[in-house]
Short mmCIF file of all heavy atoms in Angstrom, two decimals:
data_model
loop_
_atom_site.label_atom_id
_atom_site.label_comp_id
_atom_site.label_asym_id
_atom_site.label_seq_id
_atom_site.Cartn_x
_atom_site.Cartn_y
_atom_site.Cartn_z
N LEU J 84 -33.02 11.74 -12.38
CA LEU J 84 -31.67 12.41 -11.96
C LEU J 84 -31.75 12.50 -10.32
O LEU J 84 -32.54 13.09 -9.81
CB LEU J 84 -31.47 13.78 -12.56
CG LEU J 84 -29.92 14.12 -12.49
CD1 LEU J 84 -28.91 13.31 -13.31
CD2 LEU J 84 -29.75 15.63 -13.05
N LYS J 85 -30.70 11.80 -9.80
CA LYS J 85 -30.62 11.87 -8.29
C LYS J 85 -29.68 13.14 -7.93
O LYS J 85 -28.97 13.57 -8.91
CB LYS J 85 -29.89 10.65 -7.86
CG LYS J 85 -30.55 9.30 -8.19
CD LYS J 85 -32.03 9.43 -7.49
CE LYS J 85 -32.66 8.01 -7.92
NZ LYS J 85 -34.04 7.98 -7.22
N PRO J 86 -29.83 13.63 -6.89
CA PRO J 86 -29.13 14.90 -6.28
C PRO J 86 -27.57 14.58 -6.46
O PRO J 86 -26.89 15.65 -6.67
CB PRO J 86 -29.64 15.13 -4.98
CG PRO J 86 -31.06 14.59 -4.98
CD PRO J 86 -30.80 13.43 -5.82
N PHE J 87 -27.08 13.44 -6.26
CA PHE J 87 -25.72 13.23 -6.26
C PHE J 87 -25.34 11.78 -6.69
O PHE J 87 -26.21 10.89 -6.43
CB PHE J 87 -24.87 13.48 -5.04
CG PHE J 87 -25.23 12.52 -3.88
CD1 PHE J 87 -24.35 11.42 -3.81
CD2 PHE J 87 -26.17 12.82 -2.87
CE1 PHE J 87 -24.50 10.52 -2.73
CE2 PHE J 87 -26.30 11.88 -1.80
CZ PHE J 87 -25.55 10.62 -1.76
N TYR J 88 -24.13 11.67 -7.19
CA TYR J 88 -23.71 10.34 -7.60
C TYR J 88 -22.22 10.26 -7.15
O TYR J 88 -21.40 11.11 -7.32
CB TYR J 88 -23.76 10.07 -9.08
CG TYR J 88 -25.16 10.08 -9.67
CD1 TYR J 88 -25.78 11.16 -9.87
CD2 TYR J 88 -25.73 8.70 -10.06
CE1 TYR J 88 -27.15 11.24 -10.39
CE2 TYR J 88 -27.02 8.80 -10.41
CZ TYR J 88 -27.63 9.96 -10.72
OH TYR J 88 -29.00 9.87 -11.26
N THR J 89 -21.81 8.98 -6.52
CA THR J 89 -20.49 8.83 -6.05
C THR J 89 -19.92 7.57 -6.74
O THR J 89 -20.63 6.61 -6.86
CB THR J 89 -20.40 8.68 -4.56
OG1 THR J 89 -21.20 7.57 -4.14
CG2 THR J 89 -20.74 9.85 -3.77
N ILE J 90 -18.85 7.70 -7.30
CA ILE J 90 -18.14 6.64 -8.06
C ILE J 90 -17.03 6.03 -7.32
O ILE J 90 -15.95 6.78 -6.78
CB ILE J 90 -17.56 7.19 -9.46
CG1 ILE J 90 -18.87 7.64 -10.30
CG2 ILE J 90 -16.88 6.15 -10.20
CD1 ILE J 90 -19.16 9.14 -10.12
N SER J 91 -16.99 4.62 -7.25
CA SER J 91 -16.04 3.97 -6.54
C SER J 91 -15.35 2.98 -7.36
O SER J 91 -15.49 3.04 -8.65
CB SER J 91 -16.61 3.27 -5.35
OG SER J 91 -17.33 4.16 -4.41
N LEU J 92 -14.63 2.04 -6.77
CA LEU J 92 -13.87 1.07 -7.52
C LEU J 92 -14.66 0.07 -8.31
O LEU J 92 -14.41 -0.41 -9.53
CB LEU J 92 -12.86 0.35 -6.81
CG LEU J 92 -11.83 -0.74 -7.44
CD1 LEU J 92 -10.96 0.16 -8.45
CD2 LEU J 92 -11.06 -1.51 -6.40
N TRP J 93 -15.83 -0.39 -7.64
CA TRP J 93 -16.68 -1.47 -8.18
C TRP J 93 -17.91 -0.99 -8.68
O TRP J 93 -18.56 -1.70 -9.57
CB TRP J 93 -16.84 -2.45 -7.07
CG TRP J 93 -15.74 -3.32 -6.63
CD1 TRP J 93 -14.94 -2.93 -5.71
CD2 TRP J 93 -15.29 -4.55 -7.11
NE1 TRP J 93 -13.93 -3.79 -5.31
CE2 TRP J 93 -14.04 -4.89 -6.30
CE3 TRP J 93 -15.70 -5.38 -7.95
CZ2 TRP J 93 -13.40 -6.10 -6.42
CZ3 TRP J 93 -15.03 -6.66 -8.21
CH2 TRP J 93 -13.87 -6.91 -7.36
N ASN J 94 -18.39 0.19 -8.31
CA ASN J 94 -19.89 0.48 -8.62
C ASN J 94 -19.92 2.03 -8.30
O ASN J 94 -18.89 2.78 -8.08
CB ASN J 94 -20.91 -0.29 -7.85
CG ASN J 94 -20.77 -0.07 -6.53
OD1 ASN J 94 -19.54 0.34 -5.89
ND2 ASN J 94 -21.64 -0.41 -5.75
N TYR J 95 -21.23 2.44 -8.48
CA TYR J 95 -21.47 3.82 -8.07
C TYR J 95 -22.67 3.81 -7.08
O TYR J 95 -23.49 2.88 -7.12
CB TYR J 95 -21.81 4.77 -9.37
CG TYR J 95 -23.29 4.39 -9.96
CD1 TYR J 95 -24.30 5.11 -9.57
CD2 TYR J 95 -23.23 3.50 -10.97
CE1 TYR J 95 -25.59 4.93 -10.22
CE2 TYR J 95 -24.58 3.31 -11.58
CZ TYR J 95 -25.74 3.99 -11.28
OH TYR J 95 -26.98 3.75 -11.76
N CYS J 96 -22.95 4.94 -6.31
CA CYS J 96 -23.98 5.08 -5.60
C CYS J 96 -24.73 6.50 -5.86
O CYS J 96 -24.22 7.29 -6.28
CB CYS J 96 -23.66 4.98 -4.12
SG CYS J 96 -23.01 3.24 -3.51
N SER J 97 -25.90 6.53 -5.35
CA SER J 97 -26.67 7.72 -5.67
C SER J 97 -27.53 8.03 -4.36
O SER J 97 -27.83 7.18 -3.47
CB SER J 97 -27.65 7.65 -6.76
OG SER J 97 -28.54 6.70 -6.72
N GLY J 98 -28.01 9.22 -4.06
CA GLY J 98 -28.79 9.58 -3.00
C GLY J 98 -29.20 11.00 -2.97
O GLY J 98 -29.07 11.69 -4.02
N THR J 99 -29.57 11.44 -1.77
CA THR J 99 -30.06 12.78 -1.57
C THR J 99 -29.41 13.56 -0.57
O THR J 99 -28.42 13.01 0.09
CB THR J 99 -31.62 12.74 -1.23
OG1 THR J 99 -31.70 12.09 0.03
CG2 THR J 99 -32.37 12.11 -2.35
N PHE J 100 -29.63 14.86 -0.34
CA PHE J 100 -28.99 15.60 0.71
C PHE J 100 -30.05 15.81 1.76
O PHE J 100 -31.25 16.11 1.61
CB PHE J 100 -28.45 16.97 0.16
CG PHE J 100 -27.36 16.76 -0.83
CD1 PHE J 100 -27.51 16.61 -2.16
CD2 PHE J 100 -26.08 16.67 -0.30
CE1 PHE J 100 -26.35 16.55 -3.00
CE2 PHE J 100 -24.95 16.57 -1.13
CZ PHE J 100 -25.07 16.39 -2.48
N SER J 101 -29.56 15.89 3.06
CA SER J 101 -30.48 16.23 4.15
C SER J 101 -30.52 17.76 4.43
O SER J 101 -29.89 18.46 3.56
CB SER J 101 -29.87 15.69 5.43
OG SER J 101 -28.62 16.28 5.73
#
Side-chain angles (χ1 to χ4, degrees):
L84 197 64
K85 303 297 182 181
F87 74 84
Y88 294 82
T89 55
I90 295 90
S91 302
L92 184 64
W93 296 85
N94 60 341
Y95 75 90
C96 294
S97 59
T99 59
F100 291 94
S101 66

